[in-house]
Amino acid sequence: MIATEVKKRDIRQLTQDEIKDFFVSIGEKPFRAKQVYEWLWKKSVKDFDQMTNISLPTREKLKEHFAINHIKVDEMQRSSDGTIKNAVKLHDGLVVESVLIPTDTRITACISSQVGCSLDCNFCATARLKRMRNLNPDEIYDQVVAIKEEGEHYFNRPLTNIVYMGMGEPLLNYKNVLKSIEMITSPEGLGMSPKRITLSTVGVPKMIKQLADDEVKFNLAVSLHSAIDESRSRMMPINERSNLAELADSLQYWYQKTKRKITFEYVVWRNINDDEKHAKALAKYCGKVASKVNIIEYNPIDDGEFQQADPAKLDMYKRILEEKGIIVNVRRSRGKDIDAACGQLANKS
Ligand code: SAH
């Protein structure tokens, strides 16, 4: 790079009003901002020259000042069950992954919110990457657009759901994640219903309360995995900083404000949490928080201590929870043959 070259601003970091200010400053009509904004978000163009209703000189001005830091799907892998995993290259060369999960009724996009993760959950492959940086709103948005296009192309079906369950902890990239959801749900963006979006978190109590105060309209899922502090802290070190009681307190606050149940994600591991003591603790915890439970199948990341429990243990969990009137789903995992399943995203390919 030439030393004098000025780093151009990512235009999608600007609000529509800021783009308007820019146009006014160069003597252009303010209404151009709306047109440009539409090209950038709704139409997801990758280049200023695709903005055909903007004059050539104005496009040149835009190019002088700004860049469109569009993501690039570097590699796409397809699983035998239909799941697609994208390795997504960011403008600075870093890579994240996102996944398209097809079922009979849905096309779901599982997207990343950070490059790597800072949380050190012992069972998760992404944890081994460490956190490199937060994703910008447009980088999160672009992952959704890429999967939406793949859904249309390969399955001839529209995108129906989005889960923030890829790499990273969304609540530790709060502002950008919320901005991305704002654009995904806005008529100026993808116009999707927030009811079809789920944010999954390890559970950061302060930020869960913040979500409730911000009156968000999307769904919340919490990766619980154990309702006993001692064992949860062993798998998820964040539990030492904010324990289960604090978490429950924040979730009660969430329910009070939103009136929407949360989903607990829960993996049952052999000899770790596959006993009745853990199942009963979970049932008791669910009694305190308006919730339902998704028991998810573990996708081994190595042959270490964390291995999937026997099916009989899952039945035991189901029985104990259902006896207490708790809704429980047992979920099979998808995309395992391409390392696209939960917790397997680690930029291996
Ligand atoms: N940081 C967020 C989102 C990413 S993880 C969170 O923790 O919720 C998405 C889900 O996959 C979480 O429930 C996580 O606990 C789970 N997970 C992680 N590794 C897994 C693995 N190897 N097999 C199955 N689920 C896993």
Side-chain angles (χ1 to χ4, degrees):
M1 199 198 290
I2 310 160
T4 51
E5 193 177 319
V6 186
K7 210 166 157 260
K8 292 177 192 170
R9 275 188 86 185
D10 172 9
I11 189 165
R12 284 184 297 170
Q13 299 289 343
L14 271 61
T15 62
Q16 198 177 141
D17 277 340
E18 287 167 334
I19 301 178
K20 207 179 270 176
D21 292 343
F22 167 77
F23 277 129
V24 172
S25 78
I26 61 164
E28 252 293 356
K29 301 264 184 314
F31 74 84
R32 296 278 174 223
K34 190 170 189 306
Q35 295 175 322
V36 167
Y37 204 69
E38 199 162 272
W39 285 113
L40 290 173
W41 293 100
K42 201 173 187 147
K43 299 185 186 145
S44 282
V45 298
K46 300 181 171 73
D47 200 304
F48 289 108
D49 283 327
Q50 289 173 278
M51 303 182 174
T52 46
N53 58 358
I54 307 292
S55 75
L56 206 57
T58 307
R59 277 187 244 155
E60 290 304 322
K61 275 268 173 3
L62 284 167
K63 281 189 233 171
E64 247 171 61
H65 288 85
F66 303 108
I68 303 176
N69 289 342
H70 216 278
I71 64 158
K72 188 169 165 284
V73 177
D74 227 19
E75 203 195 322
M76 196 198 96
Q77 280 177 281
R78 293 189 75 181
S79 158
S80 52
D81 66 17
T83 304
I84 294 177
K85 179 170 83 169
N86 292 331
V88 167
K89 196 177 227 163
L90 310 171
H91 71 278
D92 55 2
L94 291 172
V95 176
V96 293
E97 292 176 337
S98 30
V99 184
L100 179 159
I101 307 151
T103 65
D104 289 345
T105 51
R106 295 177 174 190
I107 296 282
T108 301
C110 173
I111 55 173
S112 296
S113 56
Q114 297 181 312
V115 188
C117 189
S118 58
L119 285 175
D120 293 322
C121 298
N122 291 327
F123 48 83
C124 181
T126 307
R128 300 183 178 176
L129 293 173
K130 303 301 165 204
R131 191 194 81 99
M132 282 170 267
R133 72 168 171 87
N134 284 336
L135 293 189
N136 291 327
D138 48 309
E139 292 170 325
I140 301 172
Y141 184 90
D142 285 354
Q143 293 175 64
V144 177
V145 173
I147 289 186
K148 182 177 184 293
E149 286 170 358
E150 287 169 349
E152 287 157 4
H153 182 78
Y154 293 102
F155 299 91
N156 201 16
R157 281 158 56 191
L159 180 68
T160 59
N161 296 76
I162 301 171
V163 293
Y164 282 71
M165 288 186 195
M167 294 175 162
E169 170 47 49
L171 293 188
L172 296 181
N173 183 15
Y174 190 87
K175 216 174 100 240
N176 292 352
V177 163
L178 257 65
K179 176 74 192 164
S180 71
I181 296 176
E182 188 189 315
M183 291 314 299
I184 291 165
T185 53
S186 161
E188 287 177 331
L190 297 176
M192 279 187 70
S193 163
K195 292 194 193 106
R196 298 187 168 275
I197 301 176
T198 301
L199 183 153
S200 174
T201 173
V202 289
V204 187
K206 197 174 140 214
M207 302 324 288
I208 290 173
K209 288 188 173 172
Q210 185 69 52
L211 285 175
D213 286 338
D214 286 340
E215 296 179 7
V216 299
K217 299 283 181 275
F218 51 81
N219 303 300
L220 184 63
V222 173
S223 302
L224 196 65
H225 306 315
S226 174
I228 300 174
D229 272 313
E230 197 198 340
S231 88
R232 191 170 193 259
S233 296
R234 239 182 288 133
M235 2 171 142
M236 306 170 73
I238 183 158
N239 195 70
E240 284 162 24
R241 272 180 278 153
S242 52
N243 62 19
L244 286 158
E246 276 176 70
L247 180 59
D249 176 64
S250 69
L251 295 172
Q252 285 157 355
Y253 186 82
W254 158 274
Y255 187 71
Q256 244 173 20
K257 289 239 165 173
T258 67
K259 294 283 171 279
R260 285 201 307 284
K261 277 190 186 179
I262 65 119
T263 303
F264 285 128
E265 293 156 277
Y266 200 100
V267 176
V268 187
W269 288 285
R270 185 181 304 154
N271 298 334
I272 290 185
N273 61 352
D274 65 351
D275 51 9
E276 284 205 6
K277 190 177 103 190
H278 276 89
K280 285 182 175 156
L282 174 60
K284 194 168 164 210
Y285 198 73
C286 290
K288 288 192 244 174
V289 177
S291 56
K292 55 186 177 181
V293 176
N294 273 352
I295 293 187
I296 46 183
E297 191 188 359
Y298 186 57
N299 308 300
I301 55 170
D302 56 23
D303 49 15
E305 133 187 60
F306 290 94
Q307 298 301 330
Q308 172 67 34
D310 296 334
K313 303 289 188 178
L314 304 188
D315 293 342
M316 179 269 292
Y317 259 89
K318 200 163 168 359
R319 177 176 49 80
I320 288 178
L321 292 168
E322 283 178 348
E323 271 169 12
K324 297 273 182 222
I326 298 153
I327 298 173
V328 46
N329 291 304
V330 180
R331 286 273 184 91
R332 283 200 54 79
S333 203
R334 311 284 308 260
K336 273 201 260 192
D337 55 339
I338 54 168
D339 284 338
C342 289
Q344 291 187 314
L345 302 182
N347 294 343
K348 264 205 279 188
S349 57

